[in-house]
Amino acid sequence: MNTELMEALTILEKEKNISRDVMMDAIENSLISACKNHFGTAENIKVIMDRETCDYAVYAEKEVVEEVLDPALEISLEDAEEIDSSLHIGDIAQVPVQSKEFGRIATQNAKNLILQKIREEERKVVFDQYFEKEKDIVTGIVQRYVGKNISINLGRADAMLTENEQVKGEVFQPTERIKLYVVEVKNTPKGPKILVSRTHPELVKRLFEAEVAEVRDGTVEIKSIAREAGSRTKMAVWSNDPNVDPVGACVGMNGQRVNAVVDELRGEKIDIINWDENPALLIENALSPAKVISVMADPDEKMASVIVPDYQLSLAIGKEGQNARLAARLTGYKIDIKSETQAIEAGDLPENYMEQMGLTEEEGYTGEYDDEYEDDGVYDDAWDENQNPGTDESEEEADTDEIEFVETEDNE
């Protein structure tokens, strides 16, 4: 038993996860290569290796002839009988080859062949390991900034977080642990090239799968995600179990689950809405927290016309159009948002609509709309990148360029 070789192969298998059979094949090929360098040919060389004991033997198959013309391929009858007395002219003799007799160059070539095979197998093992994690999240350790890119250590391989895949405003410190989405894993001659991202919408989905058991087991499905990395994400969810509230499952007790995701995304706001097969209801939900009066959706043209109360127009559109833009991405519809006044002027609502609903321009909203669209004085703060979700701010601090405040008797 070749104990030294067996121990070396066992260490390689444990530390580098390289199969013993693969390494034995590499050793056999290296011996054949050494024979070729030593004898000038390897066509008649046979290597026999015991996979259990790691014992090996090298033989040169030579034809028994009366007169030897090519010593590499032929052997005299006299020499052949010393190996096996039963051999005759024309038979094939298996002549043992002593690998210790190989020259320095042949030995060095055999060694290089084995080392090259080890490196190739290492790269293949690492590639296979991270290829399985493609389209999934991994945890990496920040190493250093390389220009505007960030070098991330993923364990057995390094990845480069490029500037395009970084969230604007995020700054990481060396040795900091962060979650990343593996976009693609490529196999290159220099090893696997791993493309990771912090801006991909699927990062949010994978984080929720990790935090929410109902999403992980398929009870709650994430139907659609629209994201503006670093600012806000809208996510539509659906429950396959009528007894499970999909939004509540994702939010968690006291918001623990959604807050865990928000913390990982460095404070990025997340809106979770109910998915609906009815596009009009889906669009209404997608424009949340803005209230909607009516939605007219055209499934064929993928267009929708939405009417909102006058004082909700700014909230429906969002800061710099963000709320409407994310709602359009989430639903796949081109959304046209109008206020009640604009809708009446355009003829989308009857002229006496305001009177029918008990509304006047002077008195503002009365009756049932006071309850349904209660004015709490908070509009654009939900869309302010510098605010936390749900944080109140005064009317003086709010962006009032597009907001028309209407006083009512109830508000007084």
Side-chain angles (χ1 to χ4, degrees):
M1 180 180 293
N2 194 334
T3 55
E4 290 184 1
L5 180 57
M6 184 177 291
E7 289 175 1
L9 294 178
T10 302
I11 292 173
L12 280 172
E13 192 170 29
K14 288 182 179 179
E15 293 185 355
K16 300 184 180 296
N17 200 25
I18 300 176
S19 170
R20 179 182 294 191
D21 290 336
V22 171
M23 290 310 305
M24 286 186 174
D25 290 339
I27 292 171
E28 290 179 358
N29 292 332
S30 69
L31 289 170
I32 293 174
S33 175
C35 289
K36 184 175 182 179
N37 284 309
H38 187 71
F39 298 112
T41 180
E43 295 180 2
N44 61 329
I45 300 297
K46 300 293 181 184
V47 179
I48 300 173
M49 196 165 192
D50 192 318
R51 300 304 171 102
E52 299 296 329
T53 63
C54 291
D55 288 331
Y56 65 90
V58 183
Y59 296 97
E61 294 184 340
K62 298 183 179 182
E63 184 181 357
V64 180
V65 296
E66 292 182 357
E67 184 180 356
V68 177
L69 299 177
D70 187 351
L73 301 175
E74 299 172 341
I75 188 174
S76 65
L77 178 59
E78 182 180 351
D79 293 338
E81 287 178 343
E82 292 179 2
I83 299 172
D84 187 349
S85 58
S86 62
L87 292 173
H88 301 89
I89 299 295
D91 292 342
I92 301 297
Q94 289 189 334
V95 182
V97 175
Q98 299 300 324
S99 57
K100 292 181 181 180
E101 298 176 357
F102 291 161
R104 181 181 60 82
I105 296 177
T107 304
Q108 187 65 35
N109 288 339
K111 176 185 174 182
N112 292 339
L113 193 63
I114 294 174
L115 293 175
Q116 181 182 355
K117 186 63 177 180
I118 291 175
R119 286 192 292 268
E120 289 177 358
E121 285 302 309
E122 277 188 285
R123 289 195 289 265
K124 183 176 181 298
V125 168
V126 173
F127 172 78
D128 291 341
Q129 177 182 343
Y130 288 97
F131 184 75
E132 293 177 357
K133 296 181 180 180
E134 195 176 67
K135 312 302 181 187
D136 203 349
I137 57 173
V138 294
T139 301
I141 300 175
V142 177
Q143 291 184 310
R144 64 188 181 279
Y145 276 83
V146 182
K148 294 184 178 181
N149 301 331
I150 305 174
S151 176
I152 309 290
N153 179 259
L154 302 180
R156 298 192 64 182
D158 290 341
M160 192 65 72
L161 182 61
T162 62
E163 183 183 7
N164 293 336
E165 298 297 340
Q166 297 175 33
V167 176
K168 187 177 181 181
E170 279 191 346
V171 179
F172 303 109
Q173 300 299 324
T175 72
E176 188 174 356
R177 301 178 71 89
I178 59 174
K179 295 282 179 60
L180 302 150
Y181 180 76
V182 181
V183 179
E184 186 180 10
V185 181
K186 297 180 179 178
N187 198 6
T188 68
K190 295 183 179 180
K193 183 179 180 181
I194 305 170
L195 305 178
V196 293
S197 173
R198 286 277 295 177
T199 62
H200 203 287
E202 287 291 313
L203 174 63
V204 180
K205 182 177 180 180
R206 296 301 182 187
L207 289 173
F208 271 100
E209 287 179 355
E211 291 291 337
V212 183
E214 290 83 355
V215 175
R216 195 161 51 248
D217 63 23
T219 303
V220 174
E221 292 184 38
I222 299 176
K223 290 285 192 177
S224 179
I225 291 181
R227 184 185 183 202
E228 290 191 358
S231 179
R232 181 171 294 273
T233 292
K234 280 185 180 287
M235 184 172 73
V237 294
W238 169 267
S239 176
N240 293 312
D241 186 342
N243 297 320
V244 176
D245 174 23
V247 175
C250 292
V251 172
M253 183 72 69
N254 297 324
Q256 288 181 347
R257 291 175 170 177
V258 70
N259 285 340
V261 177
V262 169
D263 290 343
E264 180 59 43
L265 297 177
R266 307 298 177 94
E268 182 175 317
K269 304 174 187 68
I270 299 176
D271 294 340
I272 305 173
I273 67 165
N274 283 304
W275 170 271
D276 201 295
E277 295 293 340
N278 186 329
L281 293 176
L282 177 60
I283 293 169
E284 180 180 350
N285 294 339
L287 289 170
S288 173
K291 305 297 182 182
V292 175
I293 293 176
S294 70
V295 179
M296 297 294 291
D298 185 348
D300 296 330
E301 298 292 332
K302 287 292 182 179
M303 296 181 65
S305 178
V306 178
I307 300 174
V308 300
D310 287 1
Y311 75 97
Q312 291 275 300
L313 180 61
S314 178
L315 184 59
I317 295 173
K319 184 177 181 180
E320 298 178 354
Q322 185 186 63
N323 193 48
R325 187 165 58 248
L326 287 175
R329 291 180 192 170
L330 188 74
T331 60
Y333 278 72
K334 183 179 179 181
I335 302 175
D336 179 24
I337 303 176
K338 296 179 181 178
S339 65
E340 284 178 301
T341 301
Q342 292 171 336
I344 292 172
E345 292 175 354
D348 296 333
L349 290 175
E351 293 183 0
N352 61 346
Y353 172 79
M354 300 284 281
E355 183 179 349
Q356 290 176 359
M357 304 310 296
L359 310 172
T360 65
E361 294 182 0
E362 294 79 12
E363 296 177 352
Y365 291 91
T366 61
E368 60 178 310
Y369 279 89
D370 281 342
D371 295 329
E372 186 175 357
Y373 305 116
E374 183 179 358
D375 183 358
D376 58 4
V378 180
Y379 297 92
D380 282 340
D381 62 334
W383 313 110
D384 190 344
E385 295 179 0
N386 298 320
Q387 299 288 336
N388 292 323
T391 301
D392 293 340
E393 63 180 28
S394 65
E395 292 181 7
E396 290 78 14
E397 294 172 340
D399 182 5
T400 59
D401 293 344
E402 299 179 3
I403 301 173
E404 180 182 352
F405 290 93
V406 181
E407 294 184 355
T408 68
E409 293 180 1
D410 290 346
N411 289 338
E412 295 175 354

